Structures are given as structure tokens and as C-alpha cells.
Amino acid sequence: MKHSWIVFVVLVVVLLSAGCQSRSVESTQPNIVFILTDDQDPDSLRYMPTVRRELIEKGTTLKGGMVTFPRCCPSRATMLRGQYVHNHGVSGGPDRNGSYFRSAGLDKSTVATWLHDAGYRTALVGKYLNGYNSKTYVPPGWDYWYSGINRKVWPECFNHNGREKCYEGRHPDSVLSNKAEGFVRSSKGDPRPLFLWLAVSAPHNPAFHPHTDKGKFSGVSLLPRPLSFDEEDVSDKPEWVRDNSRLSSAKERELSRLYRERLRSLQTVDRTVGYLTEALADVGRLETTYIVYFTDNGYMLGEHRLALTKDVPYLDDTDFPMIVRGPGVPEGATRDELVLNNDLAPTFANLARAETPGFVDGRSLAPLLREKSPNQWRTAALVEEGRLSKKLGRPPYAMLRTESEAYVEYGNGERELYNLKMDPYQLENAFAQDPPPDPTYIVRLADRLEELRSCEKDGCKAAEDKAAP
């Protein structure tokens, strides 16, 4: 009898200890929700009231957000691995897309595997990588998988945990919204922290929206018209820009129509933010959840005479504010530091207390999510473009970005330099001015750009952190 009593006490202690450990995991590791849009322009955030109310007003906006390769697949691969494209090799095209990401073994170590190994319940809902079309393959690290498998921007069929699931007559982003909300609600009673990667199709062309949003924004002139819109004088620009004529009235009407469609498609995303915050609150996780909102690249809507394109070295294509809400994050705040898509994976790992592999080039953004600024931060970053540029009628390029300058070198020898403090719309190329830039200063810019073009691992952080030229 005495022996039985001892066994009973030991069993109770073990069970209580296990319960405490489970609660400890839930309380010390935050939940993370990442919402990723496709080809979004910053101005469109003005027409997303829920994003503004639930994320911008209740979080911090990192105004210096930018992508280091402004094209969907390369940018997303960078987000998954925390590397510049010249290090992971997914530069786009049929042989360097999602299929390559898998065949090269890159999907064996991503933010999903890092967080899964740290005890997270992980989910990818939506677009993965261009070229991913498998009906059965689920990449490592994902506990819940719901990704489009046909080649359409707006998929009708999805890989649902290794089985094909098709929908007819339902808006794809609405389906994804439902699945993402269901994943959050299914966590009730589960002690594991959540990591949700929600990648919608909006507002990618051809912009598509549910019937309920038909007619919204009609009759209102909404197309953004910054000073660079239909730029009058492009004589200072490289040849590939000079080859573009001014926008016709018909082209402007087409852009205005498209922009309304893009805004309508984003309304599903805006509602989804509300559904997710409500679901997180219902399961008791909202106050312990970081929500990050970003896009994979921008989109040209007439700036510098360039319309319906991306992959170019202008801020309209590379820059988008990264929005973060979460525990301890200042509400309604803004920061100006340069933050990259390279930083997302190491940030999520740092917040989750997960191990980050040595190959990572980016850095955690956690120091920027506090009241005080960090003592040191990067002073420059690289924007790189691969071999597809020639096929698109443009020479390949590389751009050195600082908070105050954009310096571009093209494969054909042409160059651009803009003072972003004085000329934020990139209207006056310094190489076309009189007097031209100081040659010694240009050499320093070129040397720093070259160093970043070949950097890797911690060497990228060192190159980014150097004092300005």
C-alpha cells in the first residue's frame, strides 16, 4: 500500500511538471503570423481600413522596408532562408524557381524547419514559390500545408497536406482566409505556439475580387500620381527608360481601371486581418502574437513612364513599409532604418528563440521593435537583378541603397545616382548633372557595391554596417 502511494505521488508530480512545461512553452514563445501580399504598392494601404486600425495604429511601421530582388520567387526564397539571392541561387526562370529550391535541398533548412524544431505548430497557407506545382509534396517543417498547385496567379486547386483540393466559383484569397482563420482557431487547447505564413494573391494582375466588392471605388480618381508619374524628361535616365514614350490618355485610363481592381482585390486581405485578429483573441493568443505585414515586391503604375512591370531599380519597385504588431512593440510608431526581406526569417527565429543557421545573411529586427533605437544598424543594402533582365529588354543591374542614396550600375556600363533626401522620386540622375559627381566618391560607392555583391553570411552584415562612403 505504501509503495502504491509513492507511485501515485510520483505520477502526480510528473504530470504537473509536464503541464508546467507546456504552459511555459506557450507563455515564453510568442505566436507569429506573417501576412504576405503579391506586388502591392504602398499607396494602396490607405484603402485598407482594418490594416490601418489593427496593425498600423497598434504596431510599428518600419518605413525603410525594402526587398533585395524585386521579383516574386527570388524575394520569397530570400524570406524563407534569410539570404541574398546571389547566395541561395533562386533568381527566377524555369530552372531557378520553386523546383530548384527543392532539388537543391534549400527547403530542408528554412524558417519553417527552424521554428518547427523549436516546438512551433507551423502552417503555410497560400502561394509558396513560382514553379511549385506538386499535388502531393509538402516541404519539410510545415505541419499544415495549403498551397496553390496550378500555374495560375489565382489558383483553383490546392495541395492540402498532400492531397489535391479544388474549388469552383470561390474566390481563392477568400478560401485562404478561411483556412488561415481555421488554423488559428484549431489551436485552442494546444499549448504549442503558432507560426502562420499566409501568402495571398492580391493584388497581382489580373486583379481579381469577390462579387461583393464589385463597384467599390468606382467613379473616383485613385491612381497614385507621384512626381515621377509619366516623367516628363527622362533624358538623364538609362537607354532602356528613354525608350519609353509618354503615357497616352488611353494608357492612363487603363491604369486607373486596373488600380481600382487592385484595391478591390485587397479588400479580401483587409477583411482577413480582422478575421485573424478576432480569432487570435477568441483563442486567447492575440496579446502574445506578433503580426507582420509585407509584400514580395512593388509594382510600376506609370512612374518614370514604366507601367505594369517590376524588376527595376527604382524605389517604387523595391520599397514597401514593413508593419509589425506584437508584444512590447510601440503602438503607432514609425522607424526609418533600412530593413530587408532578408531579415524576416532571422527575425522570426529570434522571436521564437529558435536556432538560426550560419548561412543566414539577414539580421533580427527585434532591436527596432522597442522604444529606443539600437546603437548600430546597417547603413547600406544591396538590390540585385539576375540574368532575366536581358529577356525583359533591360540590362542586368545592381543597386547600392543607403538611407540617403541609390547608386545603380548596369551591365552595359550605364549608371544612376540619386540623392534620396533631396530627390525622393529619383528625377535627377547625378551622372547627368553639371558638375558630375566626384570621381573619388563614385569609386567608394562602386567598391562598396562590389563588396555586397559577393558577400555571404556574417560578411554581409559587416559590409552593410560599414561607415557611409
Side-chain angles (χ1 to χ4, degrees):
M1 186 71 178
K2 183 177 180 181
H3 177 73
S4 300
W5 175 250
I6 293 175
V7 171
F8 174 77
V9 171
V10 171
L11 180 60
V12 169
V13 170
V14 170
L15 290 174
L16 287 173
S17 176
C20 289
Q21 290 175 359
S22 296
R23 287 191 295 272
S24 176
V25 169
E26 186 176 17
S27 63
T28 60
Q29 290 177 288
N31 309 291
I32 300 170
V33 173
F34 178 42
I35 302 171
L36 177 62
T37 59
D38 202 333
D39 291 6
Q40 187 173 0
D41 63 288
D43 187 75
S44 58
L45 289 168
R46 294 196 294 135
Y47 303 96
M48 303 182 75
T50 311
V51 169
R52 298 184 65 82
R53 182 182 68 251
E54 295 295 333
L55 302 184
I56 295 176
E57 293 178 9
K58 297 180 180 178
T60 292
T61 300
L62 304 175
K63 295 166 58 179
M66 56 175 283
V67 299
T68 54
F69 199 114
R71 193 184 307 137
C72 297
C73 193
S75 179
R76 291 164 188 260
T78 289
M79 294 178 190
L80 287 163
R81 299 245 319 165
Q83 292 177 291
Y84 277 112
V85 170
H86 68 260
N87 287 328
H88 63 61
V90 182
S91 56
D95 60 342
R96 289 284 177 163
N97 58 12
S99 297
Y100 173 80
F101 195 77
R102 176 183 176 183
S103 64
L106 298 175
D107 65 356
K108 294 180 180 177
S109 183
T110 67
V111 64
T113 62
W114 312 339
L115 268 63
H116 184 272
D117 290 345
Y120 273 71
R121 181 172 173 246
T122 61
L124 184 137
V125 177
K127 182 176 178 178
Y128 182 50
L129 296 169
N130 301 61
Y132 170 83
N133 295 297
S134 176
K135 298 178 181 179
T136 58
Y137 178 69
V138 176
W142 300 104
D143 295 306
Y144 181 84
W145 182 260
Y146 200 91
S147 183
I149 57 176
N150 51 356
R151 295 181 180 274
K152 297 180 180 179
V153 172
W154 299 88
E156 298 171 350
C157 296
F158 299 85
N159 175 338
H160 184 193
N161 291 333
R163 300 183 65 180
E164 184 179 13
K165 180 72 173 179
C166 297
Y167 294 90
E168 291 185 10
R170 292 190 63 185
H171 187 267
D173 277 359
S174 296
V175 173
L176 299 179
S177 176
N178 179 263
K179 298 300 178 183
E181 181 186 355
F183 175 76
V184 171
R185 292 192 179 280
S186 69
S187 69
K188 188 173 184 178
D190 191 329
R192 292 174 294 174
L194 299 181
F195 175 55
L196 169 61
W197 182 300
L198 172 60
V200 297
S201 294
H204 195 294
N205 287 356
F208 180 46
H209 57 80
H211 180 75
T212 53
D213 294 313
K214 184 178 180 180
K216 284 187 177 180
F217 310 113
S218 294
V220 181
S221 179
L222 296 172
L223 182 65
R225 293 174 181 268
L227 293 179
S228 57
F229 182 81
D230 193 25
E231 188 173 351
E232 181 177 358
D233 182 7
V234 293
S235 60
D236 63 330
K237 296 293 187 292
E239 182 180 6
W240 70 269
V241 178
R242 297 197 304 271
D243 286 343
N244 293 275
S245 59
R246 297 288 301 274
L247 301 176
S248 66
S249 297
K251 190 65 174 181
E252 288 196 32
R253 288 194 297 271
E254 177 192 352
L255 291 174
S256 295
R257 179 197 59 78
L258 170 65
Y259 197 64
R260 291 188 182 93
E261 292 296 297
R262 286 168 59 87
L263 294 182
R264 290 165 184 155
S265 74
L266 284 166
Q267 299 313 297
T268 299
V269 185
D270 193 60
R271 289 189 291 268
T272 299
V273 171
Y275 300 151
L276 289 177
T277 53
E278 182 178 351
L280 287 164
D282 288 346
V283 297
R285 293 177 181 262
L286 182 58
E287 299 306 316
T288 57
T289 298
Y290 288 94
I291 304 176
V292 179
Y293 187 101
F294 199 49
T295 195
D296 56 359
N297 51 256
Y299 199 63
M300 305 297 288
L301 292 162
E303 298 87 354
H304 310 293
R305 305 185 186 181
L306 306 173
L308 311 182
T309 189
K310 46 193 173 184
D311 317 306
V312 300
Y314 293 113
L315 272 60
D316 313 274
D317 241 14
T318 61
D319 287 25
F320 189 87
M322 191 180 295
I323 306 165
V324 185
R325 168 185 173 169
V329 177
E331 295 189 10
T334 59
R335 303 297 296 265
D336 295 323
E337 289 88 347
L338 288 174
V339 299
L340 316 179
N341 56 338
N342 307 32
D343 300 330
L344 287 165
T347 297
F348 297 154
N350 180 229
L351 295 175
R353 299 173 182 82
E355 293 187 14
T356 304
F359 63 70
V360 170
D361 303 326
R363 66 189 71 193
S364 172
L365 301 176
L368 301 182
L369 305 179
R370 304 167 185 160
E371 294 288 350
K372 294 184 178 180
S373 300
N375 293 328
Q376 182 178 6
W377 195 253
R378 65 165 58 90
T379 60
L382 168 70
V383 177
E384 52 190 337
E385 172 58 63
R387 51 196 169 81
L388 281 184
S389 290
K390 291 183 178 179
K391 294 182 180 180
L392 296 171
R394 302 186 288 268
Y397 68 81
M399 177 166 67
L400 175 70
R401 271 292 304 280
T402 71
E403 288 187 9
S404 60
E405 289 178 310
Y407 168 71
V408 188
E409 290 183 352
Y410 291 94
N412 61 2
E414 292 183 289
R415 293 181 293 181
E416 293 181 89
L417 175 63
Y418 299 97
N419 183 326
L420 300 178
K421 297 294 186 183
M422 303 293 294
D423 181 21
Y425 296 102
Q426 297 173 279
L427 300 175
E428 304 293 337
N429 181 5
F431 284 104
Q433 306 303 308
D434 188 21
D438 177 15
T440 303
Y441 181 68
I442 297 303
V443 168
R444 292 202 298 269
L445 289 175
D447 287 346
R448 192 170 190 190
L449 175 59
E450 186 59 32
E451 185 177 4
L452 281 168
R453 294 177 77 170
S454 59
C455 76
E456 60 178 340
K457 305 176 183 177
D458 287 339
C460 291
K461 302 179 186 67
E464 293 170 348
D465 290 349
K466 285 187 175 181

